[in-house]
């Protein structure tokens, strides 16, 4: 009796599990199909009908869901034009559509997955000050000391990080999009990546100590201000003082 | 003379009986200075120097010029627990924990930028009006010295906090020192007390920054002002103004009030700027570590031209006898600045050589009446502007959607092509303005009234300008080109024939003028 009950229970739970499993598989395949449709309409003209790539765009087989989430989620793909590099802009697709596209591309061949909320819990696992050190050692040479971005050769540039979300930063570190190098887990451990994210979030929220920040791009804007507003104002006053005396 | 009755008079008398100051003061307080806004540019520099001294003293109360390594425990959280130098920690401390410290730091730094900007503006005024001519050549050289010292002093101040940007600047300075052939590496080891960065440099430059250079500044500024006092101030030409008089207002009370008031205005504008706009946010740069660098690392503007020169130089090196000569640093970092500053310092003598003018000048030139000088100034200014532009090439590239390579090539070519173009355009502009002046004197000013003659012809009525104005427009003398003398009047060959030929050529270019209206052409109707 006990055995029979145990068997029934086990069978039921196994059966139940199978249906649940198949339900998620179904949902996933629905997402893959939707993603495929979006892909055929929006991406295949450059990336090929089966994402195999073409003369002007790389193959997407094996790039993984993270890549799609980053490139499409930041609005860089679809590209506005084929000039120097893809720009961050308003995403062309809704988050659901991006997820479907990501599911489709991930279904072609395994690649880096979108980091889960637990993986990128930077508030819990990151350290701001250490992140700052890591940022200045690994990122500031292109992205500037405050994450404002900077110029690279031939018109390429490291973008500003002021709008980047934690997931996007993590994905960029893992993938190395465009001119950016890949920061594998051997170069920056996941915890170190989270510290960098935590520092960037702090930099995004950095209060304007000492008044207007002047863009946080270093002394160039300061020099511009002293020659225009500073000296300009004083020369104006000097002219006024000299005129009054007449 | 009766004894003074009022208390103030009694005090004054008491002091005078013991110092004899009254006679000296009486003479000097009534000294007359001419009035013009452009004469106040040097004042802005002087007042920002005073602001620099005051705010600098405040900063030394808390700044710790030491490269000793400390763990930061202060109130700026994003740097908490990071190892850094005591100099950087104390700068953070001044910025975040000392009452008014950040404001004082910002006043000090904005005043430094203003000091340099005012010096350059003052220099341009002196140059373009020919105020450096005899007897003021020494004062011009002192001014060039002050400019040079200002650049060095500013750079040292920028280097003191030991943040990432400071360290980057010092690293480049080290590279420039090392680029000197033969002595470079020895000098570098001498300056840094060993290999870079070491722990001796910041304490050393602190002494130079707060003691040695301010002392030199005080001495040179005093000499600069004493010479102005002794030689009297130059004045713009006008009716009643000659080479032998000074038309203006007495020091007491007019300039005492004006200059005193202007000091407070300069202080006020500096304080306003410092309260509203952040400058050198060292907490964002982070502490200096030789392994780190930030995109967009720039010097302050007065060093930007030097950075721009270094940025545009192609990578050329020579290897000889086991040594490397880095021409890419040596030429833009040392040779070109050396030529620029030497040329600038010697310019009064060069000009007097090719004009042959050895007389004293107290009346200023209107820039258009010295087309060659004005064009040379515009040429030099264009050169510096191109280098300055290239110094900010990365920021310009990102903010104006250009590429660094475009800007670099623009500068590399522009540095040779644009200054001569600026020379030609400026000279033509000056000559055109001379023509306009001549026209104004001969035909009067336009009134905007149209008159129809009996035949139906329309004529615009011109009104003669005032006598004063006509005087101002025609008082200047026009230079005469020097002759190339191959032999003197006795038929002896000129031993310096080549020099004389060169001089005659430059003099010819210098003497190119539009004939000003003279007595006979005056009122002539064409």
């Amino acid at each position: 009796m006990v055995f029979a009950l145990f068997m029934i229970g086990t069978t039921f739970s196994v059966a139940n599990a199978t249906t649940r499993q198949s339900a998620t598989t179904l949902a996933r395949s629905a997402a893959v199909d939707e993603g495929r449709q979006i892909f055929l309409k929006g991406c295949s003209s450059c990336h090929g009908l089966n994402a195999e790539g073409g003369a002007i765009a790389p193959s997407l087989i094996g790039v993984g869901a993270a890549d799609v989430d980053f490139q499409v989620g930041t609005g860089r793909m679809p590209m506005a034009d084929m000039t120097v590099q893809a720009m961050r802009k308003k995403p062309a697709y809704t988050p659901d559509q991006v997820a479907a596209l990501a599911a489709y591309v991930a279904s072609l061949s395994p690649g880096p997955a979108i980091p889960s909320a637990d993986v990128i819990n930077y508030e819990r696992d990151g350290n701001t000050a250490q992140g700052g050190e890591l940022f200045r050692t690994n990122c500031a040479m292109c992205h500037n000391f405050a994450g404002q971005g900077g110029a690279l050769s031939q018109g390429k540039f490291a973008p500003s990080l002021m709008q980047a979300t934690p997931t996007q930063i993590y994905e960029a570190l893992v993938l190395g999009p465009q001119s950016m190098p890949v920061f594998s887990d051997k170069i920056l451990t996941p915890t170190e990546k989270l510290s960098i994210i935590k520092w960037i979030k702090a930099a995004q929220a950095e209060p304007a100590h000492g008044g207007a920040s002047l863009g946080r791009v270093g002394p160039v804007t300061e020099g511009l201000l002293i020659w225009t507003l500073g000296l300009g104002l004083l020369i104006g006053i000097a002219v006024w003082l000299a005129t009054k005396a007449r | 003379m009766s004894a003074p009755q009022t208390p103030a008079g009694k005090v004054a008398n008491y002091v005078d009986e013991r110092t004899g100051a009254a006679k000296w003061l009486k003479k000097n307080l009534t000294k007359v200075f001419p009035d013009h806004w452009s004469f106040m540019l040097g004042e802005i520099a002087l007042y920002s120097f005073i602001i620099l001294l005051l705010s600098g003293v405040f900063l030394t109360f808390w700044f710790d010029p030491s490269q000793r390594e400390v763990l930061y425990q202060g109130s700026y959280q994003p740097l908490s627990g990071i190892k850094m130098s005591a100099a950087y920690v104390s700068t953070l401390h001044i910025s975040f924990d000392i009452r008014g410290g950040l404001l004082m730091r910002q006043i000090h730094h904005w005043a430094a930028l203003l000091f340099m900007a005012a010096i350059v503006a003052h220099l341009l005024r002196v140059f373009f009006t020919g105020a450096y001519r005899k007897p003021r050549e020494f004062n011009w050289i002192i001014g060039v010295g002050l400019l040079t010292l200002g650049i060095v002093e500013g750079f040292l101040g920028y280097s003191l906090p030991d943040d990432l940007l400071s360290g980057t600047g010092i690293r480049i300075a080290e590279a420039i020192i090392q680029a000197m052939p033969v002595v470079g590496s020895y000098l570098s080891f001498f300056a840094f007390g060993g290999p870079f960065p070491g722990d001796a440099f910041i304490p050393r430059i602190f002494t130079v920054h707060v003691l040695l250079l301010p002392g030199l500044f005080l001495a040179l500024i005093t000499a600069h002002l004493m010479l102005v006092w002794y030689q009297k101030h130059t004045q713009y030409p006008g009716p009643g103004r000659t080479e032998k008089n000074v038309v203006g207002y007495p020091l007491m009370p007019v300039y005492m009030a004006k200059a005193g008031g202007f000091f407070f205005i300069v202080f006020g504008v500096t304080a306003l700027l410092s309260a509203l706009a952040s400058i050198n946010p060292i907490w964002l740069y982070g502490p200096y570590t030789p392994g780190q660098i930030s995109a967009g690392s720039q010097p302050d503007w007065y060093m930007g031209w030097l950075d721009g020169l270094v940025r545009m130089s192609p990578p050329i090196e020579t290897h000889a006898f086991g040594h490397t000569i880095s021409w890419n640093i040596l030429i833009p970092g040392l040779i070109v600045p050396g030529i620029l500053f030497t040329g600038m310092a010697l310019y009064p003598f060069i000009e007097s050589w090719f004009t042959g003018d050895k007389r004293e000048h107290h009346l200023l030139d209107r820039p258009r009446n010295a087309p060659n000088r004005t064009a040379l100034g515009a040429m030099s200014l264009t050169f510096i502007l191109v280098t300055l532009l290239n110094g900010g090439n990365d920021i310009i590239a990102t903010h104006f959607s250009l590429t660094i390579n475009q800007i670099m090539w623009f500068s590399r070519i522009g540095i040779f092509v644009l200054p001569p173009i600026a020379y030609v355009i400026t000279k033509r502009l000056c000559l055109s303005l001379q023509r306009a002046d001549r026209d104004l004197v001969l035909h009067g000013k336009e009134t905007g009234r149209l008159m129809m003659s009996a035949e139906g012809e329309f004529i615009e009525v011109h009104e003669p300008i005032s006598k004063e104005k006509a005087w101002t427009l025609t008082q200047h003398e026009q230079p005469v080109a020097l002759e190339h003398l191959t032999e003197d009047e006795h038929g002896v060959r000129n031993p310096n024939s080549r020099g004389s030929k060169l001089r005659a050529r430059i003099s010819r270019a210098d003497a190119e003028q539009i004939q000003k209206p003279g007595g006979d052409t005056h009122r002539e109707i064409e």
Side-chain angles (χ1 to χ4, degrees), chain B residues 376-506:
Chain B
L376 281 175
M379 187 173 95
S380 317
L381 206 55
T382 310
F383 180 91
I384 287 294
L385 282 176
V386 171
T387 60
L388 199 58
L389 195 80
N390 196 52
N393 59 6
D394 44 356
I395 305 295
I396 296 170
T398 48
H399 287 71
F400 295 95
S401 294
L402 295 167
T403 83
I404 286 194
N405 307 61
Q406 285 167 351
I407 302 171
M408 189 183 68
W409 278 106
F410 171 81
S411 315
R412 280 179 177 175
I413 298 168
I415 197 97
F416 294 107
V417 173
L418 293 178
I421 293 179
Y423 177 89
V424 173
I425 292 179
T426 311
K427 193 161 175 189
R428 295 298 123 191
L429 274 177
C430 287
L431 293 176
S432 296
L433 287 167
Q434 286 189 9
R435 254 181 226 110
D437 280 355
R438 181 187 160 88
D439 196 54
L440 201 60
V441 173
L442 290 181
H443 305 297
K445 61 176 181 225
E446 297 172 357
T447 54
R449 287 203 312 272
L450 282 179
M451 219 170 67
M452 193 171 75
S453 67
E455 292 83 40
E457 186 191 12
F458 284 99
I459 302 164
E460 191 192 358
V461 178
H462 284 238
E463 233 170 44
I465 53 172
S466 68
K467 264 190 190 150
E468 289 77 15
K469 179 113 190 197
W471 164 262
T472 309
L473 294 183
T474 53
Q475 49 72 39
H476 61 288
E477 18 174 275
Q478 298 191 296
V480 181
L482 295 174
E483 295 290 323
H484 168 42
L485 296 174
T486 43
E487 47 188 39
D488 64 11
E489 61 267 33
H490 306 297
V492 180
R493 243 184 88 244
N494 185 352
N496 191 16
S497 179
R498 258 157 108 206
S500 159
K501 196 172 174 185
L502 178 70
R503 185 164 92 148
R505 272 200 70 147
I506 302 175

Side-chain angles (χ1 to χ4, degrees), chain B residues 152-402:
Chain B
V152 176
E153 178 73 338
F155 175 71
L156 296 184
Y158 166 100
S159 302
L160 276 175
D162 204 23
D163 57 285
L164 189 50
L165 199 57
S166 306
T168 306
I170 299 176
R171 185 61 150 173
I172 294 169
E174 188 225 4
I176 292 177
I177 296 174
Q178 286 188 336
M180 287 182 214
V182 187
V183 292
S185 4
Y186 299 98
L187 274 183
S188 167
F189 266 64
F190 175 70
F192 289 92
F196 179 87
D199 51 13
F201 195 63
I202 289 197
R204 285 179 182 177
I205 62 172
F206 179 71
T207 311
V208 177
H209 182 80
V210 306
L211 181 71
L212 183 62
L213 288 181
L216 272 174
F217 267 114
L218 277 173
L220 286 177
I221 290 174
T222 310
H224 202 65
L225 293 178
M226 277 172 69
L227 277 172
V228 171
W229 194 276
Y230 174 71
Q231 297 172 338
K232 300 172 189 64
H233 205 290
T234 50
Q235 57 187 345
Y236 282 100
R241 300 180 185 190
T242 68
E243 295 283 12
K244 298 213 157 27
N245 68 6
V246 181
V247 178
Y249 297 93
L251 184 69
M252 183 76 188
V254 176
Y255 280 103
M256 283 289 191
K258 275 180 103 164
F262 197 46
F263 168 72
F264 288 108
I265 287 172
V266 174
F267 209 150
V269 168
T270 312
L272 187 74
L273 208 55
S274 311
L276 296 179
S278 161
I279 187 166
N280 198 21
I282 51 116
W283 55 92
L284 292 176
Y285 297 133
Y288 182 60
T289 318
Q292 295 175 349
I293 182 88
S294 165
S297 290
Q298 312 277 2
D300 277 342
W301 77 262
Y302 47 82
M303 293 277 278
W305 57 278
L306 189 57
D307 196 34
L309 276 168
V310 175
R311 282 180 189 213
M312 75 172 78
S313 83
I316 311 166
E317 285 183 355
T318 315
H319 302 274
F321 309 110
H323 292 280
T324 305
I325 299 180
S326 306
W327 298 106
N328 52 343
I329 304 288
L330 187 61
I331 294 173
L334 289 164
I335 296 177
V336 175
I339 294 172
L340 285 178
F341 277 80
T342 312
M344 183 155 61
L346 295 183
Y347 187 75
F349 306 102
I350 298 172
E351 192 187 79
S352 111
W353 169 72
F354 68 67
T355 54
D357 186 354
K358 313 285 177 203
R359 295 164 307 159
E360 285 203 3
H361 289 279
H362 300 284
L363 279 179
L364 296 170
D365 277 331
R366 297 170 74 224
R368 69 184 63 173
N369 291 336
N372 184 56
R373 176 200 298 143
T374 307
L376 281 175
M379 187 173 95
S380 317
L381 206 55
T382 310
F383 180 91
I384 287 294
L385 282 176
V386 171
T387 60
L388 199 58
L389 195 80
N390 196 52
N393 59 6
D394 44 356
I395 305 295
I396 296 170
T398 48
H399 287 71
F400 295 95
S401 294
L402 295 167

Side-chain angles (χ1 to χ4, degrees), chain A residues 225-236:
Chain A
L225 192 70
I226 200 67
W227 272 99
T228 50
L229 187 69
L231 198 62
L233 196 60
L234 285 170
I235 288 179

Side-chain angles (χ1 to χ4, degrees), chain A residues 72-94:
Chain A
V72 184
T74 59
R76 287 187 168 81
M77 288 292 152
M79 256 174 122
D81 53 48
M82 298 292 291
T83 48
V84 188
Q85 83 184 44
M87 311 273 278
R88 187 184 187 104
K89 56 183 183 293
K90 194 173 173 289
Y93 299 106
T94 64

Side-chain angles (χ1 to χ4, degrees), chain A residues 88 113 123 126 131 137 172 187 195:
Chain A
R88 187 184 187 104
E123 286 290 4
T137 308
I187 298 171
S195 293

